[in-house]
Amino acid sequence: MRRVALIVVLLTLGTLFVYLQTTGFGMIVLDDANYVEVTAGRLTQGLTLDNVGWAFRTGYFANWHPLTWLSYMLDAEIHRAQPGRIGEMVWGFHATNVALHLANVLLLFFILRGLTGADWKSAAVAGLFAVHPIHVESVAWISERKDVLSTFFGLLAIGAYAKYASASGRLTKSDALSRRNAKSHHRMWYAMALIAYAASLMSKQTLVTLPFALLLLDWWPLRRTRNAPFPPTPSETAPGETADELAASDGEAPADEGRRGAGRLAEPIAGTSWSRLIAEKLPFLALALAAAVAVVIAQRDGGAVQRLDRFDMGMRLMNALLVYGLYSKNLIWPADLAVYYPHPRNGISLTAVAISGAIILTVTIFCIALRRRQPWLPVGWFWYLGTLVPMIGLVQVGIQQRADRYMYVPAIGAYVAAVWFVSGVLTATRLAPRVRVAIAVGIAAACFFASGTQARRYASYWKDSVVLFEHALRVTDANPMAHSCLGSAYEQRAIDLEREAKPAEAQAYYARAIEQFQAAEALDPRLSTPHINFGRVRLKQGRADEALRRLEPAAELHSDRPDLQVDIGDAYRLKADDGSLARDEANAKAEARYRRALEILPDYPRAHRGLAAIRLDQDQPEQAFEHVDRAVRANPHDWEAHHNAIPVLLRLGRPAAALHHATEAKRLNPALNAPADLLRAAE
């Protein structure tokens, strides 16, 4: 147990060494605003019955992950976040991501240890999972809570399934009481595995391939099949894992050490048929199919699934082969990682595809050839290949070529294959046990030191959107999304400078933002993100027609985004202000957009502010007050909601209340005029 405690401490320290810094980071302009800021009014209400229902119903932002939404709400409730000030507790979102990743690291260690009985090899796999740079994106990005959360429940499902397999082995005992107890445990663990798997799918649908992965585990290390590699060969035990070598290395040899290769959890049923094993997986498969349908509907309605006219099947197949090679390269040599990798489309190199395909085929043949002597090779390799299938672009979601976050689960298989293979090679040598242990420790230390320092350095880029996307532009070529997001980061800095009453500096950042949007459009005119961002800058600059030309097509593509609907509504009202559209017509068009935003996200403050302004134009101050009051209640820290309340309350003959809101608006945005001046301007 001292060895296990030491391993837990080392894994914890390694994880915190890389990721503790992220608790001081902010939000990233890509996706974080939509997950946290746009929904802040709902998140900060906490785990209400209405919010729970919304989490299960919504397909907002082209995803269906109710448990992920509930986890955000729980964070906001624990930290008592307020709408408009949710940025003050962003550290809490980051801290939860780090805690979940650490939980996944420790779960992986204990599950592998239970399945194989190999402490140090299991620790090595968990250590690589903890500090490999390819996992930084999943942990350091608030928007990828769904990755770490779904994996947490997925690992629980695997652990429960392993317990179920162990109970299956005891069903054949002759004692009637033992059989009854085993049957009870058998059913309980199976039910727990299904429940945990359902929770994983409701966090993200990454593990839709788990039923097939469980079949791999049935073969090794559970050894439940007729042709399973059982009993273990001597090469299965790592240096320092056998009783003799442990005694030689640390003087301790646990009583059950001789059974380590067979695993502690599973007592396999000799000759279990594949048909029975497959039948066991049917309920898991049914859950996977149901979740897949739910997310495809959400992504289709949200415009995330790309059509074949943009990414044809030939392009998708070539890219799928290529990304397997690129992911493999990044596992071995994780240099030049980026938050976004542009899709080369017709620029895919046939030579690169052929090389990648040849490597995949060669490794596959090698693993199959050694399946009897080293069963972990095909299990780990096919885990890697198989669990990555939903994310290799055959169903193209988004327009990226690949993403590091997609490797969070598949990489586990590669780590298992690599660690057990190296251990087997060392054990097969004629070196003295102590020498083999020293070599194994040296290799592990070098790998963990290199991975940990590189991961810590890469994680540091995630502290700031400007730093992150400038890095992405340095390490990738022709990256329109990075240009667009860097432009958004510059725009956000301009907004912050405006609030600090620094208009000249703000205009300089707006100009830099436009340069980045133009660069993005030049690289990919069909990419919607730079059009959205460029349109918003033009809206701020009062150029309504140009804003509408960019925002309306984007809103058709992203029909689930309330912020786009409000932007378009604001642009129509701006056209009325500049006289290019009749006031009544402009208000009618704007109101339709504001109401559409409220259909997507009820109580969205910006939509209520827009409707309040329309009702005031129509000389309906009572109805205007209803909307502005809902906007203030939904986000009490929104200075614009307080500012919009001023003319409404003055029209209603309530100057004291108007002064209160003017004072609040000034407090929340010091760049505004004095409250008395705000009242005079609104009269």
Side-chain angles (χ1 to χ4, degrees), residues 466-541:
V466 171
V467 174
L468 180 65
F469 290 103
E470 285 179 344
H471 168 74
L473 289 173
R474 284 196 301 270
V475 300
T476 61
D477 298 320
N479 196 332
M481 183 63 79
H483 280 292
S484 179
C485 291
L486 182 58
S488 294
Y490 288 149
E491 180 191 357
Q492 186 57 53
R493 285 199 177 177
I495 294 170
D496 293 339
L497 289 166
E498 283 180 334
R499 291 174 180 168
E500 297 169 11
K502 299 177 180 178
E505 295 179 43
Q507 288 305 313
Y509 270 101
Y510 276 130
R512 295 174 70 177
I514 289 173
E515 289 176 1
Q516 294 299 322
F517 298 148
Q518 289 172 331
E521 288 183 335
L523 288 170
D524 187 355
R526 295 189 294 178
L527 182 62
S528 63
T529 304
H531 288 287
I532 293 170
N533 296 333
F534 204 161
R536 285 174 169 165
V537 172
R538 290 310 191 203
L539 186 59
K540 290 183 178 71
Q541 295 173 331

Side-chain angles (χ1 to χ4, degrees), residues 81-106:
Q82 298 294 321
R85 289 187 175 177
I86 200 162
E88 297 175 2
M89 57 78 55
V90 166
W91 71 271
F93 291 126
H94 283 299
T96 299
N97 276 21
V98 174
L100 284 169
H101 180 58
L102 177 58
N104 291 338
V105 169
L106 298 180

Side-chain angles (χ1 to χ4, degrees), residues 293-366:
V293 169
V295 74
V296 166
I297 291 172
Q299 290 174 340
R300 182 198 62 197
D301 293 344
V305 178
Q306 303 299 309
R307 299 190 303 269
L308 285 171
D309 60 349
R310 189 168 191 188
F311 295 90
D312 62 55
M313 189 52 66
M315 183 189 301
R316 298 182 190 206
L317 289 170
M318 286 193 297
N319 187 64
L321 276 176
L322 179 59
V323 297
Y324 270 122
L326 294 172
Y327 282 133
S328 301
K329 178 187 79 69
N330 284 342
L331 279 175
I332 298 169
W333 190 257
D336 295 339
L337 301 181
V339 60
Y340 188 87
Y341 301 100
H343 200 296
R345 296 182 189 162
N346 294 323
I348 294 177
S349 167
L350 292 177
T351 301
V353 172
I355 292 172
S356 181
I359 292 172
I360 293 169
L361 181 61
T362 301
V363 175
T364 301
I365 293 172
F366 176 78

Side-chain angles (χ1 to χ4, degrees), residues 108-365:
L108 180 60
F109 165 67
F110 282 109
I111 289 170
L112 281 175
R113 178 177 182 264
L115 287 169
T116 66
D119 288 352
W120 292 112
K121 285 183 286 188
S122 300
V125 171
L128 286 171
F129 181 70
V131 302
H132 198 289
I134 208 166
H135 302 313
V136 166
E137 182 174 300
S138 293
V139 185
W141 196 0
I142 293 173
S143 296
E144 284 312 308
R145 167 70 57 80
K146 49 188 179 286
D147 253 10
V148 289
L149 187 62
S150 67
T151 303
F152 173 74
F153 288 118
L155 289 172
L156 287 179
I158 293 171
Y161 179 81
K163 289 283 191 179
Y164 156 78
S166 177
S168 296
R170 291 191 292 272
L171 287 176
T172 58
K173 291 185 176 180
S174 57
D175 179 76
L177 180 60
S178 297
R179 284 200 303 272
R180 283 197 298 273
N181 290 336
K183 192 171 185 179
S184 175
H185 281 82
H186 180 254
R187 292 173 176 173
M188 179 190 70
W189 287 114
Y190 188 81
M192 291 181 67
L194 282 174
I195 292 169
Y197 184 47
S200 174
L201 295 172
M202 288 189 287
S203 303
K204 187 181 179 181
Q205 292 73 37
T206 299
L207 280 167
V208 290
T209 52
L210 183 64
F212 306 100
L214 293 179
L215 287 173
L216 292 174
L217 298 182
D218 283 333
W219 190 68
W220 183 87
L222 290 172
R223 296 184 175 92
R224 301 178 66 204
T225 65
R226 289 175 178 170
N227 60 342
F230 183 82
T233 61
S235 65
E236 184 172 340
T237 308
E241 296 285 2
T242 66
D244 293 340
E245 291 176 4
L246 280 167
S249 61
D250 61 15
E252 293 186 11
D256 66 338
E257 199 64 38
R259 297 178 58 251
R260 281 182 166 273
R264 292 173 180 155
L265 289 177
E267 297 179 23
I269 303 174
T272 304
S273 67
W274 280 107
S275 60
R276 175 178 172 177
L277 294 174
I278 292 171
E280 285 178 346
K281 311 305 181 294
L282 293 180
F284 291 90
L285 185 60
L287 289 174
L289 291 174
V293 169
V295 74
V296 166
I297 291 172
Q299 290 174 340
R300 182 198 62 197
D301 293 344
V305 178
Q306 303 299 309
R307 299 190 303 269
L308 285 171
D309 60 349
R310 189 168 191 188
F311 295 90
D312 62 55
M313 189 52 66
M315 183 189 301
R316 298 182 190 206
L317 289 170
M318 286 193 297
N319 187 64
L321 276 176
L322 179 59
V323 297
Y324 270 122
L326 294 172
Y327 282 133
S328 301
K329 178 187 79 69
N330 284 342
L331 279 175
I332 298 169
W333 190 257
D336 295 339
L337 301 181
V339 60
Y340 188 87
Y341 301 100
H343 200 296
R345 296 182 189 162
N346 294 323
I348 294 177
S349 167
L350 292 177
T351 301
V353 172
I355 292 172
S356 181
I359 292 172
I360 293 169
L361 181 61
T362 301
V363 175
T364 301
I365 293 172

